Amino acid sequence: MPTHPMPEFGSFTLLLALILSLYTLVAGAFALTPALSRTNDAAARRLGETARRAGMASFIAMSCAAFALCWAAFTNDFSVAYIMHHTNKDLHTAYKFSALWSGQEGSLLLWAWLLSAYGFVLRFRHKVDVKLSAFASTILAGIQLFFVLLLNFAAHPFDIQPGPVALDGFGLNPLLQYPEMVIHPPMLYLGYVGFSVPFAFALGALIMRYPGEKWIHITRRWTMVTWLFLTCGIFLGAHWAYSVLGWGGYWGWDPVENASLMPWLTGTAFLHSVMMQEKRGMMKNWNVWLIFSTFLLTILGTLLTRSGIVASVHAFAQSNIGYWFYGFILLSFMVCLFVFFKNRDHLVSENRLESLVSRESSFLFNNLILLVACFTVLWGTLFPVLSEYVKGEKATVGAPFYNRVNIPIGLFLLFLTGLGPLLAWRSTSIRAIKRNFVLPGIAMAVTLVVLMIAGVRPWKDGDDMHATIFSLMAFTLSAGVVTAISSEFFRGVGVVMTQTSKNFFHSAVTLVRRNTRRYGGYLVHFGIVVMFIGIAGGAFNQSKEQEMGFGDTLLIGPYKIVCQSFTQDSNPNYDTEFAVLDAYKYGKKVTTLNPEKRFYNASQTYATMVANHTTLQNDLYVIYEGKNPDTDKPIIKVFINPLIVWIWIGVVIVAMGTLLALVPAIKPGGTRTVSAGEARAAEASAHA
């Protein structure tokens, strides 16, 4: 019998990770039992320490397993069935890494490895709060155990291919052979997996009836970094869909797109809602269930992506492990429910909502709207599955349903983005409302008038009236939100200039450094507004399709596309057909575009490579759809997509704002500012 050293090594490390995870869970839980702590506290501490170290060791074991699978991919070890089905010899080196997440077994290995990495950091930094970290570590071990069980018994990545070893593999899915797909899935999974940490802290804090809000302070950075990973992962996926799938759009309400959006919505609500608990001791029930729901939705998203229960262009694996996930989701929900009802008296709010016109009410409405959006997406995603179960036939839910419901929700959220900073805590006077809303109101009125003069009129012939109305509202509200955020910032800079007698730039830097969390949040909100502007441009998209031979011309909007040639090329990995198109704008040549269609030899499948010319005003987006067999001419489809680039710019601004909010604030004297939440947490810790 032939031996396979690296697959055997990978199998051994997975089994070792299983043993270590099981020990971390059992020993950690036993060490935290009140009975052991009362009878022999020293023994409980020693047992807890061994559990912590076993959890850290599981990261090493999982890293070895991930390395073994990557090594098999780079060395073309087609004796491993997974490698044979997801790589080939001529695959570009950069895409060898993509084999780790291109199929069911590898993606689960990535999930478990990232979770072990998060667990390693948590256990390494356990001294922030030893007992709370021990609870969180034990809960993470339970999650880790589930995934390692899957890898060992249901989706083993190191299974040996029966029979003779293939000379070459079947190749990586062509849709994954794009630069962004080397970073999009890991980024998305860093977001998915990362929410396990605040979930573990929240559940642990509720189990031990932890006083105060220190658990929120401990997990704030975890949550923000995880949210940033998920945000970047979602929009990297949107940009991939825009660049590869060749349909002219970036978001099609696909079930797997929805699977990533749902935990983002609840995670966003959680990030806003915990500010209420830190500042006013309110909305504790909300916060617990928001983070519980976010974690459960990440598991649901993993199920949808890798189980095959829904049809999706983004799902690259089919699986029969759905029942494992159903059981784990049900078990996790029952644990959350049990712990909540057992300790719900610990979650009594310290203050009540005093006025509907207050910052507290804006946070409450924000939560409600985000949850309505999440429920809408969840219902639309699962409706085909439910209809098939109830009626025996699968009913589809398309983009019109989601747009009809979620576009008004998005506009209301945009309104709240600008409204919140203008409202005071507890109650806002009529005088303050009038004063704070003057400039945003003027900005909105001016924007509306200018846009209508420029020709953005819903009643124009040929326009989609509803799309134009929503777009007009988005532009108008965006102007109001930007003005509201800017006025708050400039007002603060003015105060600092008066206090310090420094220039505007120095005062602005000082202001931001004194409260990085607030102004980082404002920058995030500004980035969201920029993204809305990019999305609103979709109401004015244009498209045209035409056969184009040598010298043929296609006219669309201000552009003229001239076909210079079309030809073919080959390399070991794929054959390609492409066109050479010159693009002119108002008679002046702006670029040459080369849209192509590839045929991958290993997988015997086609893929489209879009040619795109991007400006701040619009994208000229061109697709090579193949040749007409009757005329032997290429079929070219051209889109003009206005303002698309502002979506990607907005994401960069959101990332910058999140990173700024993570920077510790500095007091005027040079020391780090202690927030209200930190002060409350320190007081609670001292009391404990």
Side-chain angles (χ1 to χ4, degrees):
M1 292 291 291
T3 59
H4 308 281
M6 191 54 70
E8 289 177 356
F9 173 71
S11 298
F12 169 75
T13 54
L14 280 180
L15 184 60
L16 180 60
L18 173 62
I19 296 169
L20 290 169
S21 300
L22 180 61
Y23 180 82
T24 304
L25 174 62
V26 175
F30 191 60
L32 291 170
T33 55
L36 182 61
S37 299
R38 284 194 300 267
T39 56
N40 195 334
D41 187 57
R45 286 200 301 270
R46 286 195 299 270
L47 186 61
E49 179 63 15
T50 63
R52 185 181 74 87
R53 295 186 180 187
M56 295 177 73
S58 69
F59 166 66
I60 300 174
M62 290 304 307
S63 298
C64 290
F67 171 79
L69 194 63
C70 287
W71 181 269
F74 275 94
T75 58
N76 298 312
D77 186 355
F78 300 124
S79 66
V80 180
Y82 182 84
I83 300 301
M84 188 187 74
H85 284 90
H86 297 283
T87 65
N88 62 290
K89 288 180 180 178
D90 295 318
L91 185 66
H92 192 281
T93 303
Y95 299 130
K96 296 282 188 177
F97 284 108
S98 300
L100 182 59
W101 50 80
S102 61
Q104 168 193 301
E105 297 88 351
S107 66
L108 292 173
L109 178 58
L110 176 66
W111 218 109
W113 176 62
L114 291 177
L115 182 61
S116 69
Y118 276 121
F120 181 88
V121 176
L122 183 152
R123 292 165 184 127
F124 183 77
R125 299 185 67 253
H126 73 292
K127 290 185 179 179
V128 294
D129 190 303
V130 175
K131 190 170 184 180
L132 181 58
S133 295
F135 270 96
S137 171
T138 304
I139 293 165
L140 279 185
I143 303 170
Q144 178 83 22
L145 182 62
F146 166 72
F147 281 94
V148 181
L149 280 169
L150 272 177
L151 289 168
N152 276 279
F153 300 110
H156 198 279
F158 297 103
D159 282 341
I160 302 300
Q161 179 68 23
V165 176
L167 297 177
D168 200 0
F170 297 152
L172 184 68
N173 188 320
L175 295 178
L176 292 175
Q177 296 186 43
Y178 189 75
E180 280 175 329
M181 294 309 289
V182 179
I183 56 175
H184 158 59
M187 191 74 73
L188 196 66
Y189 269 55
L190 279 166
Y192 271 169
V193 180
F195 274 116
S196 300
V197 177
F199 165 77
F201 272 108
L203 184 59
L206 190 55
I207 291 172
M208 63 184 290
R209 301 175 68 86
Y210 195 88
E213 283 77 48
K214 187 180 178 182
W215 73 270
I216 292 177
H217 172 60
I218 291 172
T219 59
R220 186 178 76 87
R221 291 177 183 274
W222 286 101
T223 309
M224 290 180 66
V225 170
T226 296
W227 181 86
L228 177 60
F229 279 137
L230 186 57
T231 302
C232 293
I234 288 171
F235 283 96
L236 280 170
H239 192 268
W240 164 81
Y242 183 65
S243 304
V244 172
L245 297 184
W247 58 283
Y250 51 85
W251 192 268
W253 297 107
D254 181 89
V256 173
E257 292 173 340
N258 297 345
S260 62
L261 179 62
M262 289 185 288
W264 185 88
L265 290 169
T266 54
T268 303
F270 175 72
L271 274 172
H272 286 81
S273 189
V274 290
M275 294 172 62
M276 290 283 292
Q277 188 167 341
E278 285 186 289
K279 183 76 175 178
R280 302 271 287 137
M282 299 170 63
M283 302 182 76
K284 296 181 180 181
N285 288 301
W286 274 95
N287 294 332
V288 164
W289 276 107
L290 281 173
I291 195 59
F292 288 176
S293 300
T294 302
F295 169 73
L296 292 171
L297 286 170
T298 62
I299 302 299
L300 177 63
T302 308
L303 166 67
L304 293 176
T305 307
R306 299 301 173 188
S307 68
I309 65 171
V310 293
S312 167
V313 296
H314 301 262
F316 300 115
Q318 300 296 317
S319 169
N320 58 359
I321 60 173
Y323 291 108
W324 286 71
F325 277 95
Y326 299 146
F328 182 65
I329 292 173
L330 179 61
L331 176 62
S332 300
F333 177 72
M334 294 303 294
V335 169
C336 293
L337 204 62
F338 172 77
V339 173
F340 171 76
F341 279 107
K342 185 175 183 293
N343 300 286
R344 60 181 175 175
D345 59 314
H346 180 64
L347 300 174
V348 176
S349 293
E350 298 168 23
N351 293 286
R352 295 188 177 278
L353 185 66
E354 298 177 19
S355 171
L356 284 177
V357 188
S358 63
R359 190 165 295 187
E360 291 93 329
S361 66
S362 72
F363 280 108
L364 178 61
F365 283 122
N366 180 78
N367 280 0
L368 289 171
I369 294 301
L370 284 169
L371 287 181
V372 168
C374 182
F375 177 78
T376 301
V377 175
L378 179 64
W379 175 256
T381 303
L382 296 182
F383 184 76
V385 179
L386 296 173
S387 66
E388 185 177 29
Y389 179 78
V390 174
K391 297 183 178 180
E393 56 184 30
K394 185 173 290 188
T396 58
V397 176
F401 164 77
Y402 295 105
N403 292 335
R404 187 164 54 249
V405 177
N406 285 304
I407 288 177
I409 289 175
L411 291 172
F412 189 59
L413 283 173
L414 182 61
F415 171 72
L416 290 177
T417 299
L419 177 67
L422 302 179
L423 299 177
W425 293 101
R426 296 185 177 177
S427 181
T428 307
S429 66
I430 300 297
R431 182 180 177 183
I433 293 173
K434 290 180 179 178
R435 181 182 68 247
N436 293 339
F437 279 84
V438 169
L439 286 178
I442 293 173
M444 291 170 65
V446 170
T447 301
L448 181 62
V449 171
V450 169
L451 287 173
M452 295 185 73
I453 292 174
V456 183
R457 302 167 189 164
W459 57 84
K460 286 176 62 178
D461 292 338
D463 285 347
D464 183 337
M465 180 178 292
H466 290 95
T468 307
I469 289 173
F470 287 137
S471 180
L472 195 61
M473 291 175 64
F475 289 133
T476 304
L477 286 171
S478 295
V481 174
V482 170
T483 305
I485 294 173
S486 301
S487 62
E488 281 291 296
F489 177 71
F490 288 125
R491 188 179 296 123
V493 173
V495 172
V496 176
M497 289 177 68
T498 302
Q499 293 173 346
T500 62
S501 300
K502 300 290 185 179
N503 61 35
F504 177 87
F505 178 77
H506 186 278
S507 299
V509 172
T510 301
L511 177 69
V512 172
R513 291 185 66 196
R514 287 181 182 179
N515 200 334
T516 53
R517 187 174 178 182
R518 171 188 290 178
Y519 292 103
Y522 283 178
L523 190 57
V524 170
H525 285 181
F526 178 71
I528 296 293
V529 172
V530 172
M531 289 163 54
F532 265 93
I533 291 172
I535 294 169
F540 310 103
N541 288 354
Q542 301 178 55
S543 65
K544 191 172 182 180
E545 183 177 290
Q546 180 179 313
E547 289 184 17
M548 297 188 71
F550 295 116
D552 287 349
T553 297
L554 182 150
L555 300 176
I556 179 171
Y559 291 99
K560 180 174 74 170
I561 312 298
V562 180
C563 180
Q564 297 297 337
S565 66
F566 53 93
T567 186
Q568 298 177 335
D569 197 4
S570 297
N571 64 49
N573 194 29
Y574 58 82
D575 301 325
T576 180
E577 295 180 5
F578 63 93
V580 179
L581 308 171
D582 286 343
Y584 297 83
K585 186 175 183 180
Y586 300 120
K588 181 181 178 180
K589 183 178 177 180
V590 292
T591 188
T592 298
L593 299 169
N594 303 112
E596 59 180 299
K597 197 172 190 68
R598 294 177 179 176
F599 179 76
Y600 287 84
N601 301 313
S603 59
Q604 297 288 294
T605 53
Y606 286 95
T608 299
M609 299 303 295
V610 173
N612 189 24
H613 175 65
T614 298
T615 66
L616 294 178
Q617 184 179 359
N618 56 46
D619 277 16
L620 181 62
Y621 180 99
V622 183
I623 305 164
Y624 183 99
E625 297 192 315
K627 290 182 179 179
N628 185 331
D630 298 327
T631 62
D632 201 37
K633 289 184 178 182
I635 301 172
I636 303 296
K637 188 166 187 178
V638 180
F639 291 84
I640 297 179
N641 297 329
L643 305 178
I644 286 288
V645 71
W646 292 102
I647 298 175
W648 323 127
I649 293 173
V651 176
V652 174
I653 296 172
V654 167
M656 292 170 57
T658 307
L659 294 174
L660 175 61
L662 289 168
V663 176
I666 304 296
K667 281 184 177 180
T671 58
R672 190 173 72 86
T673 301
V674 179
S675 68
E678 291 177 82
R680 291 165 62 87
E683 181 182 353
S685 181
H687 174 71

